[in-house]
């Protein structure tokens, strides 16, 4: 079953760590062993995994994406948020993390991030945990 | 069980919306609740999700990828389609979408796109729907 | 159940094909039909799929990523490996491949690659195979 939560972003582009929220969803599912999937039902926001120890890492990712797909570039789409659409596809809309003993099996430095590219907005995150116990 | 369909692309680079085809595969599976996965068994085509309301969005994504990974850049691979290989890895080869009440749980603006980067060609798309009903 | 293996990379950036290792994990699982997922629990290495016939393809992907996210660019993160973090998020941390008759359902030219972006190091790869047999 899906669980959802929403969060409010505060800038045009921003990574917000959601690892704890996803872990809560795993706990809420009662599932001890299986797979958690985090899906973002948007087209100008995505989801990725990256380092959660030093916040300069996600700042560097955001800055690099801004350099590669600049806000003031030349785009057809009239809403002015084409860079956000491109960046969202580059990061992706779904991340998969294994679950063992009720916990997300992330690496030491890994955190899960909602990637806002056209904020500030309210965003939805949908989490699904599937058990491998038969 | 996998279901497959093929489609013919008409340009070197092109996004073709396949949401309806994937939804048909979900219907064909008879599964009401679970997960659908869309896999592209190629190395110069990928699959992504993005806005399906205004076609200028996918044109902007294609144009941005062409600017970042130009067709006339300098590459080792002698077949001339290295940019297509790079772009396919940037977009990815598998998209996951949840299924509820027999329907793909996509966001309001989300569509699923086959990403052709080395066409025109005939491409295969493999869809797998797994039920969470035990 | 997860299966793991480690491998030693030999350069700062390198793609190492792991298709055979993943296929071994599928064999080890005894599962004939289902889904294999390959997860990399790192933040400066990722996993992608691409052509395994001509090694110049993955060299071109590495070179293009180096051009887009240069090692000598300007970054905040003091460890000097910000480009590796960006590239890992661009490639992704999990790949999904279907399994039929005990074999990975890859396309003719597809291989699965560990993407090292901050080596040389020892890297872990976690494989999970889920059966659809009830």
């Amino acid at each position: 079953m899906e669980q959802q939560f929403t969060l409010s972003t505060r800038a045009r582009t921003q990574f917000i760590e959601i690892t704890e929220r996803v872990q809560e969803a795993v706990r809420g599912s009662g599932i001890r062993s299986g797979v958690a999937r985090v899906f973002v039902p948007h087209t100008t926001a995505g989801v990725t995994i990256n380092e959660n120890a030093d916040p300069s890492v996600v700042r560097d990712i955001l800055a690099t994406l801004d350099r590669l797909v600049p806000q003031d570039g030349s785009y057809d789409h009239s809403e002015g948020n084409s860079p956000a659409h491109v960046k969202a596809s580059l990061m992706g809309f779904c991340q998969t993390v294994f679950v063992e003993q009720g916990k997300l099996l992330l690496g030491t430095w890994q955190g899960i991030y909602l990637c806002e590219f056209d904020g500030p907005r309210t965003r939805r995150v949908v989490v699904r945990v599937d058990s491998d116990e038969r």
Side-chain angles (χ1 to χ4, degrees), chain A residues 75-94:
Chain A
Y75 304 99
D76 264 16
H77 183 50
S78 59
E79 290 180 33
N81 60 1
S82 272
H85 288 287
V86 179
K87 293 169 181 175
S89 271
L90 288 173
M91 293 296 99
F93 300 93
C94 188

Side-chain angles (χ1 to χ4, degrees), chain A residues 15-35:
Chain A
F15 275 28
I16 298 187
E17 190 173 1
I18 57 174
T19 314
E20 208 28 69
R21 304 293 294 270
V22 178
Q23 180 59 59
E24 272 170 42
V26 171
R27 260 194 299 275
S29 76
I31 288 169
R32 303 290 297 162
S33 173
V35 176

Side-chain angles (χ1 to χ4, degrees), chain A residues 116-133:
Chain A
E116 173 63 82
F117 295 121
D118 192 33
R121 292 205 198 198
T122 300
R123 297 296 195 176
R124 279 198 301 141
V125 178
V126 190
V127 181
R128 202 186 154 91
V129 192
D130 282 311
S131 171
D132 56 13
E133 291 146 323

